[in-house]
Amino acid sequence: MKKIISVLTLALITASAQAFDWPQEKVVQADQFYSYFGQLRGDTISNSLIFSEPSEIKAADDGKVIVFINDFSDATDFFPSTLGNAVIIAHQDKLLTVYANIDSESIEQDIFTDEEIKTGHRLGISGNSAWQQGRSSLEFQVIDTKDNTAINPRLLMPRVGKELSLYYNEVYLQDKNGRNFNVSSQTTLPKGIYRIYKKRQVAAAPYKTRVSINGAIEDNISYDILRQDDGQICVSGKKNYPKNILYPNDELQLMGEATLPKGKIALQLTLFDILGKETPATYLLTVY
């Protein structure tokens, strides 16, 4: 298995860096996954990559099966019962891969007896046992047990096809009292600390967001990993952001926090996809 540290370091430099093979037989184009890591999912931040079509599921790397979850039998933070039938494989570098939403009748019996399994070992066929009931597709997770974090699976997988386009439709600044200011129409604001939100895209999810004031970076939020903070799954920027801040409702997604000083300022926002492509936007504001 290739070293994880080098993969994470090079992930934004080269699209070919990878540590795992495909966790299923059917290859999925980059813009055709059903749900992406870090997206809003129910009342939490998703630590899964959900594939779009049913397929035969296979081990993404050499390892050892350590857990089999049988239809809503588990209730931990990173392995919720919503996984349905799931297989968890331990790999080198203290990584676990999780293969969820497996059809119970298709599960290979040898996974319970084999001491070690190899890359490509058949685990079963995606079914309809997990949270996304009604969608028979693989739910895939990568967990770093050393740091107690969930890793974005797409950093470690082959990438095929173009990324979904990222864009801005409406941008809001939220003050400490919870008031939202739409900067497309309201460009005069009092000074202070603001959370900057964009209207959430239903399908596309940024890999990274950046907020700058007059060219100086105020905040960077990255969706390379998710971590737990005070019992909540969070993304990391200048601080750890839990779901209720990252996604305060079904429509908004946090881009970061910034302190607006008095004067004429340029609020600069940047969306990045996983290949590093930038989608910038600038809003000229008067702050009093």
Side-chain angles (χ1 to χ4, degrees), residues 69 72-82:
I69 300 173
F72 307 98
S73 62
D74 191 77
T76 63
D77 288 325
F78 277 131
F79 308 130
S81 60
T82 51

Side-chain angles (χ1 to χ4, degrees), residues 123-276:
L123 304 177
I125 299 174
S126 53
N128 189 27
S129 61
W131 195 356
Q132 73 272 20
Q133 291 188 2
R135 189 164 200 92
S136 302
S137 52
L138 169 65
E139 179 171 345
F140 184 56
Q141 299 178 358
V142 180
I143 307 298
D144 184 342
T145 60
K146 181 180 178 180
D147 294 329
N148 195 29
T149 57
I151 299 174
N152 189 334
R154 297 197 62 220
L155 288 174
L156 310 177
M157 289 170 45
R159 298 191 193 119
V160 179
K162 63 181 181 179
E163 298 294 318
L164 287 165
S165 297
L166 299 171
Y167 58 83
Y168 306 87
N169 34 31
E170 293 183 36
V171 172
Y172 297 88
L173 270 62
Q174 184 182 93
D175 67 12
K176 63 180 181 180
N177 297 315
R179 295 178 299 176
N180 288 331
F181 301 88
N182 187 329
V183 294
S184 295
S185 57
Q186 190 165 1
T187 59
T188 301
L189 304 170
K191 69 176 184 177
I193 299 174
Y194 289 83
R195 290 174 181 156
I196 295 87
Y197 288 96
K198 69 179 288 287
K199 250 196 164 176
R200 185 172 68 92
Q201 293 177 236
V202 175
Y207 171 70
K208 182 178 173 183
T209 63
R210 176 179 294 163
V211 176
S212 302
I213 300 292
N214 296 332
I217 297 174
E218 291 275 319
D219 203 353
N220 275 314
I221 295 178
S222 178
Y223 293 84
D224 52 354
I225 63 171
L226 299 177
R227 63 180 71 253
Q228 291 192 61
D229 187 355
D230 196 24
Q232 299 184 80
I233 296 178
C234 303
V235 298
S236 295
K238 66 195 299 184
K239 61 181 73 171
N240 290 332
Y241 296 112
K243 179 266 170 187
N244 65 309
I245 295 177
L246 188 68
Y247 297 110
N249 55 46
D250 289 343
E251 294 189 349
L252 299 180
Q253 180 174 11
L254 182 70
M255 291 202 64
E257 289 188 352
T259 299
L260 272 57
K262 282 186 177 181
K264 302 282 188 181
I265 69 167
L267 172 65
Q268 297 148 328
L269 309 178
T270 312
L271 299 168
F272 298 83
D273 69 16
I274 202 167
L275 299 180

Side-chain angles (χ1 to χ4, degrees), residues 45-89:
I45 304 169
S46 176
N47 62 326
S48 300
L49 178 67
I50 300 179
F51 286 67
S52 53
E53 300 293 341
S55 182
E56 181 178 292
I57 299 170
K58 58 183 184 178
D61 193 41
D62 297 350
K64 181 179 180 180
V65 175
I66 58 169
V67 177
F68 172 67
I69 300 173
N70 183 16
D71 273 338
F72 307 98
S73 62
D74 191 77
T76 63
D77 288 325
F78 277 131
F79 308 130
S81 60
T82 51
L83 292 173
N85 297 314
V87 173
I88 301 175
I89 300 176

